[in-house]
mmCIF file of all heavy atoms in Angstrom:
data_model
loop_
_atom_site.group_PDB
_atom_site.id
_atom_site.type_symbol
_atom_site.label_atom_id
_atom_site.label_comp_id
_atom_site.label_asym_id
_atom_site.label_seq_id
_atom_site.Cartn_x
_atom_site.Cartn_y
_atom_site.Cartn_z
ATOM 1 N N VAL F 1 51.635 -252.151 -20.242
ATOM 2 C CA VAL F 1 50.366 -251.516 -19.879
ATOM 3 C C VAL F 1 50.545 -250.035 -19.565
ATOM 4 O O VAL F 1 49.570 -249.333 -19.277
ATOM 5 C CB VAL F 1 49.696 -252.231 -18.685
ATOM 6 C CG1 VAL F 1 49.370 -253.666 -19.063
ATOM 7 C CG2 VAL F 1 50.578 -252.190 -17.449
ATOM 8 N N MET F 2 51.773 -249.566 -19.617
ATOM 9 C CA MET F 2 52.071 -248.149 -19.430
ATOM 10 C C MET F 2 53.130 -247.775 -20.461
ATOM 11 O O MET F 2 54.078 -248.524 -20.701
ATOM 12 C CB MET F 2 52.575 -247.899 -18.007
ATOM 13 C CG MET F 2 52.661 -246.453 -17.595
ATOM 14 S SD MET F 2 53.083 -246.331 -15.825
ATOM 15 C CE MET F 2 51.528 -246.822 -15.068
ATOM 16 N N GLN F 3 52.957 -246.622 -21.114
ATOM 17 C CA GLN F 3 53.850 -246.254 -22.204
ATOM 18 C C GLN F 3 54.682 -245.012 -21.923
ATOM 19 O O GLN F 3 55.644 -244.733 -22.623
ATOM 20 C CB GLN F 3 53.050 -246.020 -23.494
ATOM 21 C CG GLN F 3 52.316 -247.236 -24.019
ATOM 22 C CD GLN F 3 51.066 -247.553 -23.223
ATOM 23 O OE1 GLN F 3 50.272 -246.667 -22.921
ATOM 24 N NE2 GLN F 3 50.895 -248.817 -22.872
ATOM 25 N N SER F 4 54.306 -244.239 -20.920
ATOM 26 C CA SER F 4 54.994 -242.976 -20.676
ATOM 27 C C SER F 4 54.916 -242.658 -19.189
ATOM 28 O O SER F 4 53.956 -243.030 -18.509
ATOM 29 C CB SER F 4 54.343 -241.852 -21.499
ATOM 30 O OG SER F 4 54.949 -240.607 -21.246
ATOM 31 N N GLY F 5 55.934 -241.972 -18.679
ATOM 32 C CA GLY F 5 55.921 -241.593 -17.277
ATOM 33 C C GLY F 5 56.928 -240.500 -17.000
ATOM 34 O O GLY F 5 57.778 -240.175 -17.849
ATOM 35 N N PHE F 6 56.835 -239.926 -15.816
ATOM 36 C CA PHE F 6 57.783 -238.879 -15.422
ATOM 37 C C PHE F 6 57.882 -238.851 -13.903
ATOM 38 O O PHE F 6 56.878 -238.760 -13.208
ATOM 39 C CB PHE F 6 57.331 -237.512 -15.944
ATOM 40 C CG PHE F 6 58.350 -236.425 -15.726
ATOM 41 C CD1 PHE F 6 59.425 -236.299 -16.584
ATOM 42 C CD2 PHE F 6 58.239 -235.549 -14.648
ATOM 43 C CE1 PHE F 6 60.377 -235.310 -16.385
ATOM 44 C CE2 PHE F 6 59.179 -234.557 -14.441
ATOM 45 C CZ PHE F 6 60.261 -234.443 -15.319
ATOM 46 N N TRP F 7 59.119 -238.962 -13.401
ATOM 47 C CA TRP F 7 59.368 -238.881 -11.963
ATOM 48 C C TRP F 7 59.551 -237.427 -11.533
ATOM 49 O O TRP F 7 60.245 -236.665 -12.200
ATOM 50 C CB TRP F 7 60.656 -239.625 -11.598
ATOM 51 C CG TRP F 7 60.595 -241.122 -11.624
ATOM 52 C CD1 TRP F 7 61.095 -241.950 -12.593
ATOM 53 C CD2 TRP F 7 60.044 -241.987 -10.621
ATOM 54 N NE1 TRP F 7 60.887 -243.265 -12.262
ATOM 55 C CE2 TRP F 7 60.244 -243.318 -11.048
ATOM 56 C CE3 TRP F 7 59.407 -241.750 -9.396
ATOM 57 C CZ2 TRP F 7 59.821 -244.420 -10.302
ATOM 58 C CZ3 TRP F 7 58.982 -242.853 -8.657
ATOM 59 C CH2 TRP F 7 59.193 -244.168 -9.099
ATOM 60 N N HIS F 8 58.959 -237.036 -10.437
ATOM 61 C CA HIS F 8 59.251 -235.740 -9.839
ATOM 62 C C HIS F 8 59.340 -235.914 -8.325
ATOM 63 O O HIS F 8 58.683 -236.790 -7.748
ATOM 64 C CB HIS F 8 58.189 -234.691 -10.204
ATOM 65 C CG HIS F 8 56.835 -234.968 -9.611
ATOM 66 N ND1 HIS F 8 55.934 -235.820 -10.194
ATOM 67 C CD2 HIS F 8 56.242 -234.509 -8.480
ATOM 68 C CE1 HIS F 8 54.834 -235.877 -9.451
ATOM 69 N NE2 HIS F 8 54.990 -235.099 -8.407
ATOM 70 N N GLN F 9 60.162 -235.090 -7.703
ATOM 71 C CA GLN F 9 60.338 -235.175 -6.260
ATOM 72 C C GLN F 9 59.212 -234.431 -5.558
ATOM 73 O O GLN F 9 58.769 -233.371 -6.013
ATOM 74 C CB GLN F 9 61.696 -234.590 -5.839
ATOM 75 C CG GLN F 9 62.042 -234.841 -4.382
ATOM 76 C CD GLN F 9 63.498 -234.539 -4.052
ATOM 77 O OE1 GLN F 9 64.299 -234.302 -4.944
ATOM 78 N NE2 GLN F 9 63.845 -234.548 -2.779
ATOM 79 N N PHE F 10 58.727 -234.996 -4.481
ATOM 80 C CA PHE F 10 57.648 -234.377 -3.707
ATOM 81 C C PHE F 10 58.004 -232.934 -3.343
ATOM 82 O O PHE F 10 59.113 -232.626 -2.908
ATOM 83 C CB PHE F 10 57.405 -235.180 -2.428
ATOM 84 C CG PHE F 10 56.526 -234.479 -1.431
ATOM 85 C CD1 PHE F 10 55.154 -234.435 -1.608
ATOM 86 C CD2 PHE F 10 57.071 -233.848 -0.312
ATOM 87 C CE1 PHE F 10 54.337 -233.784 -0.689
ATOM 88 C CE2 PHE F 10 56.266 -233.198 0.607
ATOM 89 C CZ PHE F 10 54.897 -233.163 0.422
ATOM 90 N N ALA F 11 57.040 -232.043 -3.547
ATOM 91 C CA ALA F 11 57.189 -230.640 -3.159
ATOM 92 C C ALA F 11 56.079 -230.301 -2.168
ATOM 93 O O ALA F 11 54.903 -230.590 -2.419
ATOM 94 C CB ALA F 11 57.117 -229.731 -4.383
ATOM 95 N N LEU F 12 56.438 -229.699 -1.067
ATOM 96 C CA LEU F 12 55.479 -229.310 -0.036
ATOM 97 C C LEU F 12 54.872 -227.966 -0.391
ATOM 98 O O LEU F 12 55.585 -226.987 -0.608
ATOM 99 C CB LEU F 12 56.177 -229.233 1.320
ATOM 100 C CG LEU F 12 55.318 -228.750 2.500
ATOM 101 C CD1 LEU F 12 54.179 -229.718 2.771
ATOM 102 C CD2 LEU F 12 56.190 -228.576 3.748
ATOM 103 N N THR F 13 53.544 -227.913 -0.477
ATOM 104 C CA THR F 13 52.863 -226.656 -0.779
ATOM 105 C C THR F 13 52.033 -226.210 0.421
ATOM 106 O O THR F 13 51.521 -227.032 1.191
ATOM 107 C CB THR F 13 51.960 -226.781 -2.022
ATOM 108 O OG1 THR F 13 50.958 -227.782 -1.781
ATOM 109 C CG2 THR F 13 52.779 -227.174 -3.242
ATOM 110 N N ALA F 14 51.880 -224.904 0.525
ATOM 111 C CA ALA F 14 51.269 -224.313 1.719
ATOM 112 C C ALA F 14 49.804 -224.685 1.884
ATOM 113 O O ALA F 14 49.290 -224.719 3.008
ATOM 114 C CB ALA F 14 51.419 -222.792 1.664
ATOM 115 N N HIS F 15 49.108 -224.972 0.776
ATOM 116 C CA HIS F 15 47.657 -225.136 0.832
ATOM 117 C C HIS F 15 47.216 -226.595 0.764
ATOM 118 O O HIS F 15 46.032 -226.872 0.613
ATOM 119 C CB HIS F 15 47.019 -224.331 -0.295
ATOM 120 C CG HIS F 15 47.534 -222.924 -0.392
ATOM 121 N ND1 HIS F 15 47.293 -221.979 0.575
ATOM 122 C CD2 HIS F 15 48.324 -222.322 -1.314
ATOM 123 C CE1 HIS F 15 47.886 -220.847 0.243
ATOM 124 N NE2 HIS F 15 48.520 -221.034 -0.893
ATOM 125 N N SER F 16 48.175 -227.515 0.842
ATOM 126 C CA SER F 16 47.854 -228.943 0.835
ATOM 127 C C SER F 16 47.649 -229.429 2.269
ATOM 128 O O SER F 16 48.089 -228.785 3.230
ATOM 129 C CB SER F 16 49.000 -229.718 0.189
ATOM 130 O OG SER F 16 50.168 -229.649 1.009
ATOM 131 N N PRO F 17 46.982 -230.585 2.465
ATOM 132 C CA PRO F 17 46.857 -231.136 3.817
ATOM 133 C C PRO F 17 48.206 -231.364 4.498
ATOM 134 O O PRO F 17 48.314 -231.166 5.718
ATOM 135 C CB PRO F 17 46.121 -232.460 3.567
ATOM 136 C CG PRO F 17 45.277 -232.184 2.369
ATOM 137 C CD PRO F 17 46.142 -231.305 1.492
ATOM 138 N N VAL F 18 49.232 -231.762 3.746
ATOM 139 C CA VAL F 18 50.550 -231.938 4.352
ATOM 140 C C VAL F 18 51.083 -230.593 4.823
ATOM 141 O O VAL F 18 51.638 -230.473 5.920
ATOM 142 C CB VAL F 18 51.540 -232.591 3.362
ATOM 143 C CG1 VAL F 18 52.903 -232.784 4.035
ATOM 144 C CG2 VAL F 18 51.017 -233.934 2.874
ATOM 145 N N GLY F 19 50.925 -229.555 3.976
ATOM 146 C CA GLY F 19 51.406 -228.229 4.354
ATOM 147 C C GLY F 19 50.647 -227.627 5.512
ATOM 148 O O GLY F 19 51.212 -226.899 6.335
ATOM 149 N N LEU F 20 49.361 -227.933 5.587
ATOM 150 C CA LEU F 20 48.530 -227.373 6.656
ATOM 151 C C LEU F 20 48.692 -228.120 7.974
ATOM 152 O O LEU F 20 48.406 -227.577 9.036
ATOM 153 C CB LEU F 20 47.058 -227.397 6.215
ATOM 154 C CG LEU F 20 46.699 -226.488 5.023
ATOM 155 C CD1 LEU F 20 45.280 -226.762 4.549
ATOM 156 C CD2 LEU F 20 46.867 -225.016 5.395
ATOM 157 N N ASN F 21 49.149 -229.384 7.898
ATOM 158 C CA ASN F 21 49.304 -230.179 9.118
ATOM 159 C C ASN F 21 50.583 -231.007 9.026
ATOM 160 O O ASN F 21 50.541 -232.243 9.001
ATOM 161 C CB ASN F 21 48.081 -231.089 9.301
ATOM 162 C CG ASN F 21 48.076 -231.788 10.644
ATOM 163 O OD1 ASN F 21 48.777 -231.383 11.582
ATOM 164 N ND2 ASN F 21 47.305 -232.859 10.752
ATOM 165 N N PRO F 22 51.736 -230.367 8.981
ATOM 166 C CA PRO F 22 52.990 -231.089 8.730
ATOM 167 C C PRO F 22 53.357 -232.097 9.811
ATOM 168 O O PRO F 22 53.982 -233.119 9.509
ATOM 169 C CB PRO F 22 54.022 -229.960 8.642
ATOM 170 C CG PRO F 22 53.412 -228.806 9.385
ATOM 171 C CD PRO F 22 51.952 -228.921 9.158
ATOM 172 N N ASP F 23 52.992 -231.838 11.053
ATOM 173 C CA ASP F 23 53.357 -232.759 12.127
ATOM 174 C C ASP F 23 52.794 -234.158 11.891
ATOM 175 O O ASP F 23 53.420 -235.166 12.255
ATOM 176 C CB ASP F 23 52.853 -232.238 13.473
ATOM 177 C CG ASP F 23 53.673 -231.054 13.970
ATOM 178 O OD1 ASP F 23 54.797 -230.867 13.454
ATOM 179 O OD2 ASP F 23 53.195 -230.329 14.857
ATOM 180 N N ALA F 24 51.615 -234.216 11.292
ATOM 181 C CA ALA F 24 50.983 -235.511 11.063
ATOM 182 C C ALA F 24 51.728 -236.344 10.030
ATOM 183 O O ALA F 24 51.494 -237.553 9.923
ATOM 184 C CB ALA F 24 49.531 -235.299 10.614
ATOM 185 N N TYR F 25 52.610 -235.701 9.272
ATOM 186 C CA TYR F 25 53.335 -236.404 8.210
ATOM 187 C C TYR F 25 54.838 -236.461 8.486
ATOM 188 O O TYR F 25 55.622 -236.793 7.591
ATOM 189 C CB TYR F 25 53.061 -235.733 6.860
ATOM 190 C CG TYR F 25 51.602 -235.801 6.469
ATOM 191 C CD1 TYR F 25 50.697 -234.824 6.891
ATOM 192 C CD2 TYR F 25 51.115 -236.868 5.723
ATOM 193 C CE1 TYR F 25 49.357 -234.896 6.560
ATOM 194 C CE2 TYR F 25 49.775 -236.950 5.382
ATOM 195 C CZ TYR F 25 48.901 -235.966 5.804
ATOM 196 O OH TYR F 25 47.570 -236.049 5.468
ATOM 197 N N GLY F 26 55.234 -236.123 9.683
ATOM 198 C CA GLY F 26 56.613 -236.301 10.078
ATOM 199 C C GLY F 26 57.596 -235.357 9.430
ATOM 200 O O GLY F 26 58.753 -235.730 9.183
ATOM 201 N N ILE F 27 57.190 -234.127 9.132
ATOM 202 C CA ILE F 27 58.105 -233.169 8.523
ATOM 203 C C ILE F 27 58.121 -231.873 9.330
ATOM 204 O O ILE F 27 57.169 -231.567 10.060
ATOM 205 C CB ILE F 27 57.734 -232.865 7.055
ATOM 206 C CG1 ILE F 27 56.330 -232.266 6.952
ATOM 207 C CG2 ILE F 27 57.848 -234.111 6.190
ATOM 208 C CD1 ILE F 27 55.983 -231.795 5.556
ATOM 209 N N GLN F 28 59.188 -231.112 9.129
ATOM 210 C CA GLN F 28 59.348 -229.837 9.822
ATOM 211 C C GLN F 28 59.522 -228.740 8.778
ATOM 212 O O GLN F 28 60.555 -228.659 8.136
ATOM 213 C CB GLN F 28 60.569 -229.876 10.737
ATOM 214 C CG GLN F 28 60.792 -228.595 11.531
ATOM 215 C CD GLN F 28 59.672 -228.326 12.529
ATOM 216 O OE1 GLN F 28 59.247 -229.224 13.241
ATOM 217 N NE2 GLN F 28 59.190 -227.095 12.575
ATOM 218 N N PRO F 29 58.506 -227.897 8.563
ATOM 219 C CA PRO F 29 58.636 -226.826 7.569
ATOM 220 C C PRO F 29 59.608 -225.748 8.029
ATOM 221 O O PRO F 29 59.818 -225.531 9.228
ATOM 222 C CB PRO F 29 57.214 -226.254 7.455
ATOM 223 C CG PRO F 29 56.331 -227.203 8.186
ATOM 224 C CD PRO F 29 57.183 -227.908 9.190
ATOM 225 N N VAL F 30 60.194 -225.068 7.043
ATOM 226 C CA VAL F 30 61.017 -223.888 7.317
ATOM 227 C C VAL F 30 60.111 -222.673 7.162
ATOM 228 O O VAL F 30 59.621 -222.386 6.067
ATOM 229 C CB VAL F 30 62.208 -223.801 6.346
ATOM 230 C CG1 VAL F 30 62.998 -222.515 6.601
ATOM 231 C CG2 VAL F 30 63.097 -225.031 6.497
ATOM 232 N N HIS F 31 59.864 -221.961 8.249
ATOM 233 C CA HIS F 31 58.935 -220.832 8.217
ATOM 234 C C HIS F 31 59.685 -219.534 7.919
ATOM 235 O O HIS F 31 60.676 -219.208 8.567
ATOM 236 C CB HIS F 31 58.196 -220.710 9.548
ATOM 237 C CG HIS F 31 57.284 -221.862 9.822
ATOM 238 N ND1 HIS F 31 56.119 -222.076 9.122
ATOM 239 C CD2 HIS F 31 57.378 -222.884 10.722
ATOM 240 C CE1 HIS F 31 55.516 -223.163 9.571
ATOM 241 N NE2 HIS F 31 56.267 -223.675 10.543
ATOM 242 N N ASN F 32 59.207 -218.816 6.912
ATOM 243 C CA ASN F 32 59.764 -217.515 6.551
ATOM 244 C C ASN F 32 58.691 -216.445 6.684
ATOM 245 O O ASN F 32 57.487 -216.738 6.650
ATOM 246 C CB ASN F 32 60.285 -217.534 5.110
ATOM 247 C CG ASN F 32 61.429 -218.509 4.912
ATOM 248 O OD1 ASN F 32 62.318 -218.587 5.748
ATOM 249 N ND2 ASN F 32 61.403 -219.252 3.818
ATOM 250 N N ASP F 33 59.113 -215.202 6.808
ATOM 251 C CA ASP F 33 58.168 -214.095 6.770
ATOM 252 C C ASP F 33 57.633 -213.967 5.342
ATOM 253 O O ASP F 33 58.400 -213.946 4.384
ATOM 254 C CB ASP F 33 58.848 -212.798 7.191
ATOM 255 C CG ASP F 33 59.239 -212.799 8.661
ATOM 256 O OD1 ASP F 33 58.568 -213.514 9.437
ATOM 257 O OD2 ASP F 33 60.212 -212.107 9.027
ATOM 258 N N ILE F 34 56.312 -213.887 5.225
ATOM 259 C CA ILE F 34 55.681 -213.854 3.909
ATOM 260 C C ILE F 34 55.108 -212.471 3.651
ATOM 261 O O ILE F 34 54.245 -211.990 4.393
ATOM 262 C CB ILE F 34 54.542 -214.889 3.798
ATOM 263 C CG1 ILE F 34 55.045 -216.280 4.194
ATOM 264 C CG2 ILE F 34 53.960 -214.877 2.399
ATOM 265 C CD1 ILE F 34 56.107 -216.838 3.310
ATOM 266 N N SER F 35 55.598 -211.815 2.594
ATOM 267 C CA SER F 35 54.992 -210.554 2.164
ATOM 268 C C SER F 35 54.644 -210.597 0.683
ATOM 269 O O SER F 35 53.986 -209.704 0.168
ATOM 270 C CB SER F 35 55.949 -209.385 2.425
ATOM 271 O OG SER F 35 57.158 -209.550 1.713
ATOM 272 N N PHE F 36 55.121 -211.674 0.009
ATOM 273 C CA PHE F 36 54.843 -211.790 -1.420
ATOM 274 C C PHE F 36 54.346 -213.203 -1.725
ATOM 275 O O PHE F 36 53.215 -213.531 -1.399
ATOM 276 C CB PHE F 36 56.094 -211.419 -2.225
ATOM 277 C CG PHE F 36 55.869 -211.322 -3.707
ATOM 278 C CD1 PHE F 36 54.902 -210.470 -4.226
ATOM 279 C CD2 PHE F 36 56.623 -212.077 -4.597
ATOM 280 C CE1 PHE F 36 54.682 -210.376 -5.595
ATOM 281 C CE2 PHE F 36 56.417 -211.988 -5.969
ATOM 282 C CZ PHE F 36 55.441 -211.138 -6.457
ATOM 283 N N ALA F 37 55.181 -214.061 -2.296
ATOM 284 C CA ALA F 37 54.717 -215.384 -2.717
ATOM 285 C C ALA F 37 54.828 -216.401 -1.590
ATOM 286 O O ALA F 37 55.760 -216.377 -0.803
ATOM 287 C CB ALA F 37 55.521 -215.855 -3.933
ATOM 288 N N ASN F 38 53.856 -217.327 -1.566
ATOM 289 C CA ASN F 38 53.856 -218.362 -0.530
ATOM 290 C C ASN F 38 53.151 -219.593 -1.057
ATOM 291 O O ASN F 38 51.931 -219.673 -1.060
ATOM 292 C CB ASN F 38 53.145 -217.867 0.732
ATOM 293 C CG ASN F 38 53.135 -218.938 1.821
ATOM 294 O OD1 ASN F 38 54.056 -219.721 1.908
ATOM 295 N ND2 ASN F 38 52.090 -218.939 2.632
#
């Protein structure tokens, strides 16, 4: 019932609910000074 797939490892993004509220998901972000990409 499925013919194709691809595994990828979870990536934390700044604008997702996980990124905006990391404590609720049991993770600790590494905070850097942002002057360019984020």
